[in-house]
Amino acid sequence: MMEDYTDIGATTPEALEISRKSRTLISEMIGDDTFEDRIKQRCVIATGDPGVAEILRFRGRPGEAGMQALGESAPIFADIKMVQAGILKKGHNSSIKTFIDQGDALAEEQGITRTSAGVMAWQGKLSGSIIVIGNAPSSLLTLCDLMQAGKVVPRLVIGTAVGFVNAAESKERLREIDVPSISTAGTRGGTPIAVAAINE
């Protein structure tokens, strides 16, 4: 697979050479046989931690689902602006919006997190979209509630919520739902992993 690989984020000869060298090194550690291997490679490169490959979980052929959705310009929703900023803006025609700042009045009224309120505010637009949650477990739990109630059916969910309060639990719930997904096991996760997965 390495022979036909191009990194659309690397645009100069030096950047391309660094990308190729990184891929060669990581592919020898992880393998290079499947789309999931490619996603693992990119997440490992983004974090500098080969152990990340061991905590990644895949459900429902998420690579293929994501590529098809991007090919059809499905919108992308991110939990926070840091995730939005990291998502490549070329190679696709999808809009990229965030949950944060979209439901502030609702958050204040109900006493919930701003990212959870953003999920609720956008819920009418989430079916058919790609959702990338790199930080906020509360937003992933709210999304899981909506998916389990049949109110939202995304094309792909990348859930790498991080931390010690509800992060592991939110991702376990995601893996129970019949939707293509990429997630991390346990408390580890964060923006670099989520962004690397969607950019791959």
Side-chain angles (χ1 to χ4, degrees), residues 38-118:
R38 297 289 290 273
I39 294 168
K40 288 179 182 178
Q41 290 172 18
R42 188 144 185 162
C43 291
V44 166
I45 291 167
T47 60
D49 180 3
V52 166
E54 302 302 318
I55 63 169
L56 283 164
R57 301 290 182 268
F58 301 89
R59 179 181 170 98
R61 299 177 67 84
E64 291 82 353
M67 288 295 290
Q68 183 176 2
L70 288 171
E72 296 170 8
S73 301
I76 301 169
F77 291 89
D79 56 339
I80 63 171
K81 291 179 181 178
M82 189 178 352
V83 172
Q84 180 189 40
I87 297 172
L88 287 170
K89 311 304 187 287
K90 60 182 181 177
H92 62 86
N93 294 309
S94 296
S95 62
I96 309 170
K97 305 184 187 316
T98 60
F99 295 141
I100 199 79
D101 293 336
Q102 296 304 312
D104 287 359
L106 181 63
E108 186 172 346
E109 175 187 321
Q110 297 191 9
I112 59 177
T113 69
R114 294 166 64 211
T115 53
S116 289

Side-chain angles (χ1 to χ4, degrees), residues 176-187:
E176 293 170 358
I177 298 170
D178 188 19
V179 63
S181 68
I182 301 169
S183 61
T184 50
T187 58

Side-chain angles (χ1 to χ4, degrees), residues 54-57 137 159-172 175 183-190:
E54 302 302 318
I55 63 169
L56 283 164
R57 301 290 182 268
T160 63
V162 64
F164 297 95
V165 179
N166 291 327
E169 294 84 353
S170 66
K171 294 175 290 186
E172 287 169 7
R175 290 190 287 273
S183 61
T184 50
T187 58
R188 296 171 67 190

